[in-house]
Amino acid sequence: MLQLNLQNETSRLRAVVLGSAINNGPTPSIEEAYDPKSLEHILAGTYPVEADMVKEMEAFNAVFQKYNVTVFRPEQIENYNQIFARDIGFVIDDIFIKANILPDRERELDAIQYVIDQINPLKVIRPPEEVHIEGGDVMLWNNYIFIGTYKGSDYKDYITARTNWQGVEFIRNLFPNKIVKEFDLVKSKIEARDNALHLDCCFQPVGTNKGVIYKSGFREESDYLYLLNLFGKENLFHITRDEMYNMNSNVFSIAPDVVVSERNFTRLNSWLRENGFTVEEIPYAEIAKQEGLLRCSTLPLIRD
């Protein structure tokens, strides 16, 4: 049995599901694009090819091996994108919550069923149908659960709006002892530089008291100020619009002092090192073209 344990984003990682780029299928059509960034690359003819993405994911896997992390990979589905494991489920404390994802992606959950079978069935939850919530929007910070959402009345018109108010309430009811704070995110179907697909596109904690943040990713300045007050301005690394577009806030922590980052994030990586972090740099720029990066590719199961 897997004894799940997840209290935050940065404690020492012991077990994780890492997505897969193998058998990823052909470049999607314009109609099939789920987000503006993928669309941009489909139109430009620069959409990533499978061989490059497999190489990038293997580099990520090698870092996990170096730190003796147990890695589960999804079973292969033919011609199907299985890179972004974060979307399909997430763990809070010792509970595995299956995400109600876009219906087309249901098969991705089936591909990790062999992992879910190793969890106590009483600890596996499927929210009711009206609850929309994806792992990229759920962020743990000890006693806090941060959730990205979209409060616009046109929620249903946005394929980039992934977590609704029912999702926030569901988590609030499930974890009455935690402070659940939702953040209203900026969404765009057409301009990737103005689309915070998930909360981890514009904010993520690192270490024990620091974070990476993009101020303009929040629709309400008060949401940004909430994090500023909680973490302290001196502890937050502010990224630019282009750095947000390149997914600088979507790094991944293996331990409080170890962060896996994209090798081109020069400004961020320098700041991390100046603040005492070990930065494991890997190439991940091809996968980034699909509006997802390191955190999106992982589903952590156990941290110390």
Side-chain angles (χ1 to χ4, degrees):
M1 291 293 272
L2 285 169
Q3 295 297 326
L4 301 181
N5 183 44
L6 219 67
Q7 312 286 333
N8 56 49
E9 299 293 319
T10 62
S11 292
R12 178 67 163 93
L13 182 71
R14 297 298 173 192
V16 67
V17 177
L18 175 65
S20 169
I22 296 169
N23 220 328
N24 199 55
T27 297
S29 67
I30 289 164
E31 295 71 38
E32 288 170 327
Y34 284 136
D35 63 85
K37 196 166 180 185
S38 295
L39 179 62
E40 199 177 294
H41 287 287
I42 293 166
L43 292 170
T46 50
Y47 195 80
V49 298
E50 183 177 312
D52 292 340
M53 294 193 289
V54 169
K55 260 196 276 228
E56 290 183 343
M57 296 207 83
E58 286 323 303
F60 201 178
N61 196 21
V63 177
F64 287 133
Q65 304 312 320
K66 174 178 168 181
Y67 288 91
N68 298 316
V69 175
T70 302
V71 178
F72 299 97
R73 305 299 292 268
E75 292 168 350
Q76 275 178 43
I77 305 171
E78 202 166 327
N79 291 330
Y80 202 74
N81 185 335
Q82 292 178 270
I83 295 171
F84 299 122
R86 177 74 59 162
D87 294 347
I88 59 178
F90 52 93
V91 174
I92 299 178
D93 291 350
D94 60 349
I95 294 175
F96 186 97
I97 297 158
K98 294 181 173 183
N100 281 337
I101 33 182
L102 301 167
D104 314 355
R105 298 186 59 184
E106 191 64 34
R107 287 190 293 170
E108 289 176 70
L109 261 173
D110 300 338
I112 62 162
Q113 187 59 45
Y114 80 96
V115 180
I116 297 170
D117 288 342
Q118 298 174 54
I119 301 166
N120 174 351
L122 298 173
K123 299 287 187 182
V124 179
I125 291 181
R126 182 87 200 233
E129 213 172 309
E130 67 278 4
V131 167
H132 295 186
I133 190 158
E134 289 190 1
D137 277 324
V138 179
M139 208 163 271
L140 309 180
W141 199 55
N142 305 315
N143 204 28
Y144 290 82
I145 303 175
F146 303 137
I147 303 181
T149 185
Y150 178 63
K151 295 180 180 174
S153 56
D154 52 355
Y155 175 93
K156 64 181 187 312
D157 301 333
Y158 277 84
I159 196 165
T160 54
R162 299 294 176 78
T163 297
N164 59 9
W165 65 267
Q166 290 98 326
V168 177
E169 284 307 309
F170 177 76
I171 297 297
R172 200 167 264 143
N173 294 330
L174 205 55
F175 298 95
N177 299 329
K178 301 247 186 192
I179 300 161
V180 175
K181 165 67 181 157
E182 79 275 14
F183 297 90
D184 199 8
L185 304 180
V186 171
K187 302 286 179 179
S188 172
K189 290 181 281 195
I190 46 174
E191 173 50 83
R193 283 172 177 78
D194 300 317
N195 180 43
L197 190 66
H198 290 123
L199 179 58
D200 58 19
C201 297
C202 56
F203 171 71
Q204 189 177 186
V206 288
T208 50
N209 66 339
K210 292 183 170 47
V212 182
I213 196 162
Y214 176 60
K215 183 181 178 182
S216 302
F218 300 94
R219 289 214 312 168
E220 297 290 337
E221 191 178 24
S222 57
D223 281 352
Y224 159 75
L225 292 172
Y226 180 92
L227 291 169
L228 203 68
N229 292 333
L230 198 57
F231 282 79
K233 189 166 190 186
E234 69 287 356
N235 290 318
L236 290 173
F237 181 80
H238 283 72
I239 57 177
T240 65
R241 185 170 180 246
D242 273 341
E243 285 171 332
M244 191 283 284
Y245 170 74
N246 289 317
M247 318 283 314
N248 277 234
S249 61
N250 206 271
V251 293
F252 184 75
S253 294
I254 288 186
D257 57 347
V258 180
V259 177
V260 189
S261 181
E262 216 286 328
R263 62 185 179 191
N264 295 308
F265 295 172
T266 40
R267 212 171 69 86
L268 171 64
N269 295 346
S270 303
W271 178 81
L272 287 167
R273 290 193 176 101
E274 282 160 21
N275 282 281
F277 291 92
T278 297
V279 182
E280 295 284 351
E281 291 190 14
I282 61 170
Y284 228 67
E286 290 303 304
I287 285 171
K289 292 175 178 178
Q290 301 181 60
E291 207 157 343
L293 207 77
L294 300 158
R295 187 176 188 269
C296 300
S297 318
T298 57
L299 197 175
L301 301 170
I302 303 169
R303 291 185 186 270
D304 286 348

